[in-house]
Amino acid sequence: MTNPLRLDTAIREFLQDARIRGSSPFTLAYYERVLRYFREKTAIETVDQITVSACKEYLLTLMDGDLASSSVQTYVRGLRAFLNWLYANEYIETNVTQRFKLPKAQRKVIDVLTDTEIQTLLNSFDTTNFHQLRNLCIVLLMLDSGLRLNETITLRQDRFHLAERYAIVDGKCNKQRIVPIGSSSVPFFEKYLSLKPPSAFLICKRDGEQLTADTVKDLFRKLKKITGISRLHPHLLRHSFATRYLENGGNIYNLQTILGHSSLEMVKKYLHIDPRSICKTFDNFSPVVCIQKASNN
């Protein structure tokens, strides 16, 4: 009888296959993290020990811990990808994921940047300084074109077409897409390009080396202090871009293309209407206000 595949070996093969399929380093690191956590929190040593019951017990462990509901979903989603791979490759006989569903996550309102905060953020850079100008361009790529952090630091110089105001971005799973560049951003990019050293990457260090994700995260920690916007982080700029795009009358199908999502449902889940904009226009639709206006006429 063939010995059952060890869990460690299966995880290693799964990560190898994910790499061959073109998963990004960030996705690979995510899979490795959530599967390592699964291995540590269960007594499972071989894949034949993975059952629906064992997975449900693991889910309860996650839910009883300190993780937010959205983080629990993140851990379960990675595990489900692994379980699907095991079943597809006939390492397990039961399609566990059919009976191991994602738990519901608490739906949180994303407090996107206000117009005043956006202006404060943009005004916090000294554009006579190379590093400050580069950092402003990082913010503009995220806030005015909707790029993710990794997409920003991997954007290649030869795919940035400033005259035509678009860039070709390598998104998740190596899917390329075209994103627009706003006309207000053009002067800052023109100045930055005149100062930046030769490099394969648009966003680079003074010596032409590619910026790391940790460097950008450190930038945002500093920007929190400078601007006083304590909730500031890279992905909030993408959220703010998407929300403002729709509020300004942008087409949701065009937004789907810009964001690089494979389905419209993903865009709908990603986006929300800023409650502040609802409050600003509420008097136009308030039953009491409208009645009072009518009676005064």
Side-chain angles (χ1 to χ4, degrees):
M1 182 176 178
T2 305
N3 292 328
L5 183 67
R6 293 192 60 80
L7 180 59
D8 284 343
T9 303
I11 291 174
R12 186 165 59 250
E13 289 187 15
F14 169 74
L15 293 173
Q16 288 175 344
D17 276 9
R19 185 179 178 186
I20 292 171
R21 291 196 305 270
S23 295
S24 71
F26 286 90
T27 300
L28 293 172
Y30 155 67
Y31 283 144
E32 186 172 10
R33 183 177 72 254
V34 299
L35 294 177
R36 182 174 64 246
Y37 196 80
F38 174 69
R39 185 186 59 203
E40 292 172 355
K41 294 297 181 180
T42 65
I44 294 173
E45 295 183 356
T46 56
V47 297
D48 64 323
Q49 296 173 340
I50 298 177
T51 62
V52 174
S53 177
C55 289
K56 287 182 177 179
E57 286 181 15
Y58 172 66
L59 173 58
L60 289 174
T61 300
L62 293 175
M63 295 174 69
D64 291 340
D66 297 328
L67 296 173
S69 59
S70 57
S71 296
V72 172
Q73 273 204 331
T74 297
Y75 277 78
V76 173
R77 189 176 288 110
L79 176 59
R80 281 170 55 84
F82 176 60
L83 296 176
N84 280 327
W85 177 85
L86 288 175
Y87 181 71
N89 286 275
E90 299 182 349
Y91 288 134
I92 57 176
E93 296 180 357
T94 303
N95 189 352
V96 178
T97 55
Q98 285 187 344
R99 295 164 58 192
F100 180 51
K101 305 299 182 182
L102 280 173
K104 289 185 178 180
Q106 179 184 1
R107 190 177 182 87
K108 295 182 178 179
V109 174
I110 301 169
D111 192 10
V112 298
L113 295 173
T114 66
D115 292 348
T116 300
E117 287 172 332
I118 290 174
Q119 202 60 57
T120 298
L121 177 61
L122 297 178
N123 290 340
S124 65
F125 300 95
D126 175 9
T127 57
T128 63
N129 176 286
F130 167 78
H131 289 102
Q132 290 279 304
L133 186 59
R134 179 203 63 196
N135 293 344
L136 172 58
C137 289
I138 291 173
V139 168
L140 289 172
L141 287 171
M142 296 177 177
L143 182 61
D144 204 36
S145 297
L147 268 63
R148 302 178 177 93
L149 189 160
N150 188 55
E151 293 170 347
T152 300
I153 61 177
T154 58
L155 179 58
R156 300 187 67 83
Q157 173 81 59
D158 60 359
R159 294 177 184 166
F160 186 72
H161 304 281
L162 189 59
E164 295 81 10
R165 288 178 33 209
Y166 75 90
I168 300 174
V169 175
D170 290 325
K172 289 185 175 182
C173 299
N174 290 327
K175 293 179 181 178
Q176 288 190 342
R177 70 182 191 277
I178 292 177
V179 299
I181 306 297
S183 59
S184 296
S185 301
V186 170
F188 299 109
F189 281 113
E190 286 178 337
K191 188 172 182 180
Y192 168 66
L193 289 172
S194 71
L195 297 175
K196 76 178 288 289
S199 174
F201 300 98
L202 176 68
I203 301 300
C204 64
K205 300 178 182 178
R206 197 54 158 153
D207 60 4
E209 288 295 312
Q210 182 184 17
L211 242 60
T212 65
D214 286 340
T215 300
V216 178
K217 290 176 183 177
D218 185 57
L219 163 64
F220 275 82
R221 282 191 286 268
K222 293 176 181 176
L223 286 173
K224 284 183 182 181
K225 296 179 180 179
I226 294 171
T227 63
I229 307 171
S230 60
R231 68 188 187 285
L232 191 64
H233 60 86
H235 213 66
L236 179 62
L237 300 192
R238 182 170 156 94
H239 275 299
S240 299
F241 160 76
T243 302
R244 290 281 180 263
Y245 184 91
L246 286 186
E247 287 180 353
N248 292 332
N251 182 289
I252 193 170
Y253 297 100
N254 290 343
L255 181 61
Q256 178 186 346
T257 300
I258 296 171
L259 293 177
H261 285 308
S262 57
S263 72
L264 192 60
E265 281 304 310
M266 294 177 71
V267 179
K268 291 177 181 177
K269 292 177 182 178
Y270 191 99
L271 299 176
H272 59 95
I273 299 299
D274 185 357
R276 288 182 297 259
S277 68
I278 297 175
C279 296
K280 288 178 183 178
T281 59
F282 180 68
D283 276 1
N284 294 332
F285 312 102
S286 164
V288 175
V289 172
C290 289
I291 290 172
Q292 290 179 338
K293 285 182 178 179
S295 64
N296 290 334
N297 290 338

